[in-house]
Amino acid sequence: MEPTTFLFLVGFAVSIGGWMVHEIMLAVAFGRSTKRQENERVAGGVDALIPQAQGVRASVLVCVRNGKRHIIGLLKAIEKQNFEGKWEVVVVDDDSTDGTWQELESFHEIHDSSFALRTFELGNTRPGKKEALALAVQQARGAALVFTDADCLPASNAWLKRMVEPLECGQDLILGLSLPRTERGPGVLGALQAWDALRIARSYVGWAELGSPYMGVGRNMAMRAAVHPGFETHQDLASGDDDLAVQRLVSAADCRVHTLTDREAQVDSGLPQTSVRWMNQKRRHWSTAPRYARMDRLRLLFPQLLTMLWLVFGLLALTSGSQGGVLHIVLWILGIGLGSAWLTAVLIFRSIAKACQAPDHWFHYGWLQPFGTAWTWMMAMTMAIIPSRDQW
């Protein structure tokens, strides 16, 4: 075997091996969060380490635009929450044109529950929902702020309790999960969306457990009202109300971050049901990445660079091996490497799906790893060319 072919194969092995180590490291960290929650359940839950506030314990903040179809379902689900003390739900209608405000007024008239419902209406706002969120945060009276969206549904009646209790035990920020279990695309598109949601969850939960939190999802996130960082530094972006708020919060102080992955603490959400709309949504979300801290950007870029390296080294080894008459050996080595990486991705995805108590048929979506990666790269390459049309 020619020395150049050997070196290309070594480069391939090192880069694909590094990629697998990275994937396993995040999966182990994700499992650490799940194990901690299991231990807390065995111990009988979380005991407050500081006195609970005498005023409003929690404010659930919901910003909605043209959400007539979903908002009442969310409010009815929130009514079923088992949560003691004073709490409230603050809903801001951000310039809806489909009758959302009328739906809220009608529900407000018949509302009679353990929490206070407070509704506000905004008009002529800029793209995105930062103005609506700023108003919701300003109006909130709770010691804890819990964020969700109109098209989400709590997975259990203990959701709010699970999100708030760690804050009352001294945590500053709670990162929960939101998986597309209510609406998503049909067939392969829906499978890719589920794969992508669990992949993202593994990343931000895993890095938070490793001591480097970098984002959360605004559909299921909570923080102490006293530490909310505001949106002043990224008002120019339509997105980023969740992940850039986390970026600012963890960089400004010694922020104590807690992750929740079990089913009780999740919310079920929906995703666009066409590939074009989903692609636009992903582009809008990714527009915030350049504002991340430098080390966070490098951490997220690292596995992509490794993937590019093993692809390049693999192609070079194929060319060199073909010219040197050892193509059969090169094919065996590349096949073993690629097969091992694929199997690693499948097993890791299955473990994450089981830890999140995802539907059983989701367990097999890990086989979509190559297709999902190709889809992600395609969206990334078109992001700079075609601007997102989704503003909310």
Side-chain angles (χ1 to χ4, degrees), residues 331-343:
L331 288 173
W332 270 106
I333 295 174
L334 296 185
I336 292 172
L338 292 173
S340 299
W342 196 355
L343 182 60

Side-chain angles (χ1 to χ4, degrees), residues 12 15-16 19 305-315 338:
F12 169 81
S15 54
I16 204 168
W19 181 87
L305 291 176
L306 287 176
T307 301
M308 291 184 64
L309 282 175
W310 60 254
L311 282 173
V312 170
F313 279 124
L315 290 173
L338 292 173

Side-chain angles (χ1 to χ4, degrees), residues 33-84:
S33 173
T34 302
K35 185 64 175 178
R36 184 189 66 246
Q37 293 161 68
E38 291 176 354
N39 293 337
E40 289 175 353
R41 283 197 296 271
V42 171
V46 179
D47 295 324
L49 301 180
I50 60 175
Q52 294 180 3
Q54 296 300 311
V56 180
R57 282 184 71 188
S59 299
V60 180
L61 309 185
V62 183
C63 298
V64 55
R65 174 177 290 176
N66 294 333
K68 178 181 178 180
R69 187 163 63 96
H70 297 110
I71 187 62
I72 302 305
L74 171 64
L75 292 175
K76 288 181 177 179
I78 290 177
E79 280 187 325
K80 299 176 183 178
Q81 292 296 303
N82 299 322
F83 192 72
E84 298 178 356

